[in-house]
Amino acid sequence: MKMAVALLALGMIGTGMNAEVTKASFGTAKNGKPVEIYTLKSPELQVKLITLGARIQAIDAPDRNGKFADVALGHPKAASYQDDGGTYFGAVVGRYGNRIAKGQFTIDGHTYHVPINNNGQSLHGGLDGFDNRIWSAKEVADGVEFTLVSPDGDQGYPGTLTAHVTYTLHGHDLKIEYSATTTKPTVINLTNHSYFNLAGEGNGTILNHKIQINADHYTPVDKVLIPTGDLPAVAGTPFDFRTPHAIGERIEAKNEQLTIAGGYDHNFVLNGAAGTLRTAAIVTDPTSGRTLTVKTTEPGVQFYTGNFIKDGEITGTGGKKYVRRGGFCLETQHYPDSPNHPAFPSTLLRPGQTYHTTTVFSFTK
């Protein structure tokens, strides 16, 4: 009992067999509001989360020799996240992660307009998305639950949306559960936008990492990165990752889709039934021996190779300059622009319904 009291006095909350949780200040956002940082720690992994954007700020994982390194790209200060050119490092993006064509969609015969912020399209919730908000937070067993209330009309979206994102750590597994309710019919597509470099953040590119994606089909895009609506097979294309390939093996291939995106920035249609937790992707760094396995209940995953990171413009958490393709993202999601593609899995949420999805990031060696 005395030890438990002492841990609470230090800001450490014992939350179960698998993880300890500590809380501290992480400075202030650009609007002057305080930002807090929570650290989840197990013997196998350490994860840092901040209330600005409900972000993953760092993930320390061991290599094959047991040496820990931060494998998630990020910033050492809160305000830097709001002034980095829109990388969305580690953030929960919403209300609608990824793109909505021309910033408009129709629900029950009414057309809604949301902010345009990317080549004439709406990206990751618009000009003031969930990544830019201070979420409330509370400790839960083995983790932290973040909550954000987005009022009716926020960024043009209908309905008051109450969103919860819960991170829990169990050994080498970081579990993320998303849930939300609304007061009016709306669209929602929450995801985490972490960039990973399994060699350690700031340690060069991820082009030698080997990736396997559990998808027979993908959603090609037009010149402004909006899905065409087609679902072609990956077979015979540089998008076939059903067996492991180095990320850089075909990234410069003569392929219209790779040219449009400057590399990989595409949604893959995951095999298996949406709503069931199944493997989406496995990534291995041959140098360090670290492996990331992503499991999700979502129907898709956006594989992005950091094509828009500019060499040397961002200094990361550890003081190193980031380079183009210095990190990859695996954003578990519904498909981009689903509100304008009736054939895609629906992102419509109505009053009385609960939005719920689960993603697990597992780091092994």
Side-chain angles (χ1 to χ4, degrees):
M1 179 65 71
K2 289 182 179 179
M3 181 177 290
V5 172
L7 291 177
L8 287 170
L10 290 170
M12 178 180 289
I13 300 91
T15 54
M17 296 292 291
N18 293 304
E20 294 177 338
V21 183
T22 60
K23 173 185 172 182
S25 171
F26 195 66
T28 58
K30 292 179 72 175
N31 61 6
K33 292 184 178 180
V35 178
E36 296 171 333
I37 186 166
Y38 290 81
T39 301
L40 316 185
K41 189 173 183 179
S42 75
E44 295 87 1
L45 208 63
Q46 178 175 280
V47 179
K48 294 183 178 181
L49 311 165
I50 61 174
T51 51
L52 175 60
R55 295 173 190 264
I56 294 174
Q57 192 265 342
I59 299 176
D60 289 305
D63 65 9
R64 63 166 59 90
N65 298 315
K67 182 179 178 180
F68 279 77
D70 182 5
V71 297
L73 277 61
H75 292 291
K77 297 180 180 179
S80 298
Y81 283 97
Q82 298 174 287
D83 194 29
D84 68 358
T87 62
Y88 302 95
F89 285 155
V92 171
V93 290
R95 288 189 191 190
Y96 199 95
N98 219 305
R99 293 171 174 83
I100 295 179
K102 300 179 181 179
Q104 65 181 44
F105 55 88
T106 300
I107 300 176
D108 299 336
H110 182 83
T111 299
Y112 295 91
H113 298 272
V114 295
I116 300 297
N117 62 325
N118 184 263
N119 294 324
Q121 323 306 314
S122 184
L123 175 66
H124 295 326
L127 297 168
D128 186 23
F130 288 4
D131 61 291
N132 199 42
R133 311 292 176 86
I134 304 293
W135 294 56
S136 63
K138 68 177 182 180
E139 294 90 352
V140 295
D142 299 317
V144 180
E145 178 184 315
F146 293 91
T147 299
L148 181 70
V149 177
S150 172
D152 184 20
D154 186 7
Q155 298 288 286
Y157 288 91
T160 297
L161 186 86
T162 302
H164 303 278
V165 179
T166 303
Y167 296 87
T168 51
L169 180 60
H170 302 275
H172 53 70
D173 296 339
L174 176 63
K175 183 178 183 180
I176 311 175
E177 292 187 272
Y178 307 85
S179 65
T181 56
T182 184
T183 60
K184 294 180 181 178
T186 193
V187 295
I188 183 171
N189 189 28
L190 300 180
T191 189
N192 180 274
H193 205 295
S194 286
Y195 295 65
F196 302 104
N197 186 326
L198 299 180
E201 57 91 27
N203 287 339
T205 75
I206 42 77
L207 297 178
N208 70 326
H209 287 33
K210 291 187 176 181
I211 185 168
Q212 184 173 3
I213 301 177
N214 180 26
D216 294 336
H217 299 267
Y218 78 109
T219 55
V221 294
D222 62 20
K223 292 182 179 180
V224 290
L225 300 180
I226 294 295
T228 64
D230 297 327
L231 300 174
V234 298
T237 77
F239 295 85
D240 190 350
F241 289 101
R242 292 174 297 173
T243 57
H245 289 269
I247 291 174
E249 181 181 333
R250 300 167 297 181
I251 200 168
E252 300 294 348
K254 292 183 178 180
N255 177 278
E256 182 183 23
Q257 286 295 304
L258 292 175
T259 299
I260 288 172
Y264 295 103
D265 191 6
H266 295 78
N267 173 69
F268 285 74
V269 178
L270 294 174
N271 297 333
T276 62
L277 191 67
R278 69 245 190 257
T279 299
I282 302 172
V283 188
T284 300
D285 170 37
T287 302
S288 68
R290 294 186 183 94
T291 295
L292 168 61
T293 301
V294 181
K295 295 183 179 180
T296 190
T297 60
E298 289 276 40
V301 63
Q302 186 87 4
F303 175 43
Y304 172 54
T305 48
N307 311 314
F308 302 117
I309 297 175
K310 295 181 179 179
D311 286 342
E313 285 198 356
I314 294 174
T315 301
T317 310
K320 297 179 181 179
K321 297 286 188 180
Y322 289 162
V323 298
R324 183 173 185 248
R325 296 174 178 163
F328 67 89
C329 301
L330 288 166
E331 304 158 61
T332 56
Q333 62 180 7
H334 275 56
Y335 307 166
D337 199 34
S338 288
N340 295 309
H341 290 274
F344 286 0
S346 177
T347 55
L348 180 64
L349 179 67
R350 293 186 179 277
Q353 299 176 333
T354 299
Y355 168 91
H356 185 266
T357 71
T358 300
T359 293
V360 180
F361 294 126
S362 299
F363 297 85
T364 54
K365 53 182 179 176

